Amino acid sequence: MLTVARFGGLLSLAVVSVNAQATNGYFTHGTSVKAQGMAGVSVAMAHDSLSAASNPASLTALTAEQQLDLGVTYFAPERKSDISGNGFGIDGTYHANDRKYFLIPELGYARHHSDVLSYGLALYANGGMNTDYGDNPFANFGSSGSAGVNLEQLYVTATLAYRLNDNHSLGLGLTWTRQQFEAKGLQAFAGMSQDGANISNNGKDVSRGWGVKLGWQGELSDSVKAGLSWSSKIETSEFHRYSGLFAEDGGFDIPENFAAGLAWQATDALTLAADWQYIAYSDVKSVGNDLSLAAPLGADNGAGFGWDDINVYKVGAEYALNSEFSLRAGYSYADQPIKKDQTFMNILAPGVIQEHLSLGGSWNVNDTNSLSVAYTHAFEQTVKGRNSIPAQFGGGEADLTMDQDLLAISWGLSF
């Protein structure tokens, strides 16, 4: 059995960095390297101990009595903004890539306590956002220095899964999250805020909160499995140092989301699977409120980033070449969260990606050790502004563009 001391040491390694960048909005496209290799498909499958982040019921389907998984993802996003027709002279192309890449760790542990009860713990970064403009697009409005935001999110989910019978399992997860945020170069917006001293250049601030996950997995036939999962809205503490930027005095809750999936064992070697996910961004005021000058920044109904709720559709395949090697591939498509008339504030948060294509594979080195890899390309996407820059800021349009590359590797230990 994995000792508390050993797990504590591994946990400390996993918390070195949890900085991520927008994928499906600002949610990750897949938790666990194996799921990444299928563009995030996981709700009806049991890839590994980190599958509990997608569906807590999945732990009962793991084959080993105990499983430990440790992985890291190299994340390289390209993000830029193009401004045109502005009366204050800020036309041009602005690149937000002063920080070019990120390392995102993940760690999971699961154990079968009995034939019907399993438990586990997963640490992962569900999302985040980073922009770093060395050439500040707001300089002509009175801002100084480089501009950008950095949002980091660490999630820790403790899970219990119960096998009702041979065909159905239920899961319950309790999630603790820690968010860290910093904004710089936004001094020009202080006059729009109810608390202009707490809008920019105040260093790092931390927010915490708790949420719940529920899941079900079941066998619909000998070859078809299904899954459902729900994650509650996580009401977090306010970012007090940025109470003048985010609505509700610095509120930045994590939105509720739902998912459903099917997995079909088409042959002994081939599994075909699909997921649907719904993310309720608009229920979080600091994310969903439109940019409006009717209420000051930071107010209960203050301006936000104007994000819509999105649906995410994922399909994937897994093929076992033999007992040692397996291959994976997947594709996902997401609705666009950013409206054309809301691109100005989203210069700071250009989460416009809609399509991912993934490839991956695993090697069972021996009876207890395995290695997995995944590569994902998020295709370049542009949202062209339409009536996007307010007249008070000189009018014109802001266009947002992003693409991404991700390379991930993980080690699994079954015992």
Side-chain angles (χ1 to χ4, degrees), residues 260-334:
L262 288 172
W264 174 38
Q265 192 73 43
T267 69
D268 289 342
L270 177 64
T271 301
L272 302 176
D275 284 357
W276 162 80
Q277 183 182 24
Y278 180 81
I279 306 172
Y281 285 122
S282 67
D283 286 345
V284 178
K285 290 185 177 181
S286 53
V287 178
N289 282 3
D290 286 353
L291 173 61
S292 170
L293 304 183
L297 290 169
D300 284 348
N301 215 18
F305 292 91
W307 282 27
D308 281 335
D309 300 345
I310 65 170
N311 296 279
V312 186
Y313 309 94
K314 309 175 184 181
V315 293
E318 183 177 57
Y319 186 79
L321 294 173
N322 49 47
S323 61
E324 293 184 2
F325 295 97
S326 58
L327 301 176
R328 301 180 186 90
Y331 169 82
S332 72
Y333 178 85

Side-chain angles (χ1 to χ4, degrees), residues 30-341:
T31 301
S32 98
V33 172
K34 290 181 179 179
Q36 285 188 43
M38 297 177 68
V41 175
S42 58
V43 179
M45 303 184 72
H47 291 296
D48 50 38
S49 59
L50 281 151
S51 295
S54 301
N55 187 343
S58 65
L59 294 189
T60 63
L62 296 177
T63 56
E65 181 181 348
Q66 295 187 73
Q67 185 160 336
L68 174 69
D69 297 282
L70 181 62
V72 65
T73 299
Y74 172 87
F75 198 177
E78 290 284 334
R79 53 266 197 233
K80 69 174 182 176
S81 302
D82 292 286
I83 297 175
S84 60
N86 182 261
F88 287 172
I90 65 169
D91 288 2
T93 297
Y94 298 85
H95 295 274
N97 303 315
D98 275 23
R99 183 168 181 183
K100 298 183 182 299
Y101 68 88
F102 307 87
L103 294 176
I104 307 168
E106 60 183 28
L107 171 65
Y109 170 73
R111 182 174 185 263
H112 294 309
H113 179 73
S114 67
D115 291 341
V116 296
L117 184 65
S118 303
Y119 61 83
L121 190 67
L123 291 87
Y124 53 100
N126 190 45
M129 179 68 65
N130 177 280
T131 48
D132 196 349
Y133 292 93
D135 184 9
N136 192 330
F138 311 118
N140 286 11
F141 304 140
S143 289
S144 60
S146 59
V149 297
N150 187 40
L151 172 67
E152 304 175 13
Q153 295 180 321
L154 168 68
Y155 292 73
V156 182
T157 297
T159 300
L160 283 175
Y162 184 77
R163 184 182 295 279
L164 297 172
N165 52 45
D166 289 342
N167 297 323
H168 300 279
S169 296
L170 298 176
L172 168 65
L174 182 64
T175 296
W176 174 81
T177 187
R178 179 186 185 275
Q179 302 185 107
Q180 183 170 286
F181 179 79
E182 182 176 9
K184 58 184 180 180
L186 308 183
Q187 302 94 332
F189 295 94
M192 297 171 52
S193 174
Q194 67 173 13
D195 186 4
N198 287 308
I199 196 169
S200 184
N201 294 77
N202 286 338
K204 297 176 180 178
D205 201 1
V206 173
S207 171
R208 300 176 180 86
W210 292 88
V212 173
K213 289 180 180 288
L214 299 176
W216 163 80
Q217 275 192 354
E219 295 186 7
L220 304 184
S221 71
D222 291 340
S223 60
V224 178
K225 295 182 179 180
L228 297 171
S229 69
W230 168 75
S231 296
S232 70
K233 181 178 181 179
I234 301 178
E235 295 185 357
T236 60
S237 55
E238 289 79 14
F239 287 117
H240 295 294
R241 295 183 183 182
Y242 296 95
S243 59
L245 177 62
F246 292 135
E248 301 181 295
D249 297 306
F252 203 90
D253 296 336
I254 296 166
E256 179 183 26
N257 59 98
F258 311 84
L262 288 172
W264 174 38
Q265 192 73 43
T267 69
D268 289 342
L270 177 64
T271 301
L272 302 176
D275 284 357
W276 162 80
Q277 183 182 24
Y278 180 81
I279 306 172
Y281 285 122
S282 67
D283 286 345
V284 178
K285 290 185 177 181
S286 53
V287 178
N289 282 3
D290 286 353
L291 173 61
S292 170
L293 304 183
L297 290 169
D300 284 348
N301 215 18
F305 292 91
W307 282 27
D308 281 335
D309 300 345
I310 65 170
N311 296 279
V312 186
Y313 309 94
K314 309 175 184 181
V315 293
E318 183 177 57
Y319 186 79
L321 294 173
N322 49 47
S323 61
E324 293 184 2
F325 295 97
S326 58
L327 301 176
R328 301 180 186 90
Y331 169 82
S332 72
Y333 178 85
D335 297 335
Q336 179 55 249
I338 298 177
K339 294 172 283 193
K340 294 179 183 295
D341 63 351

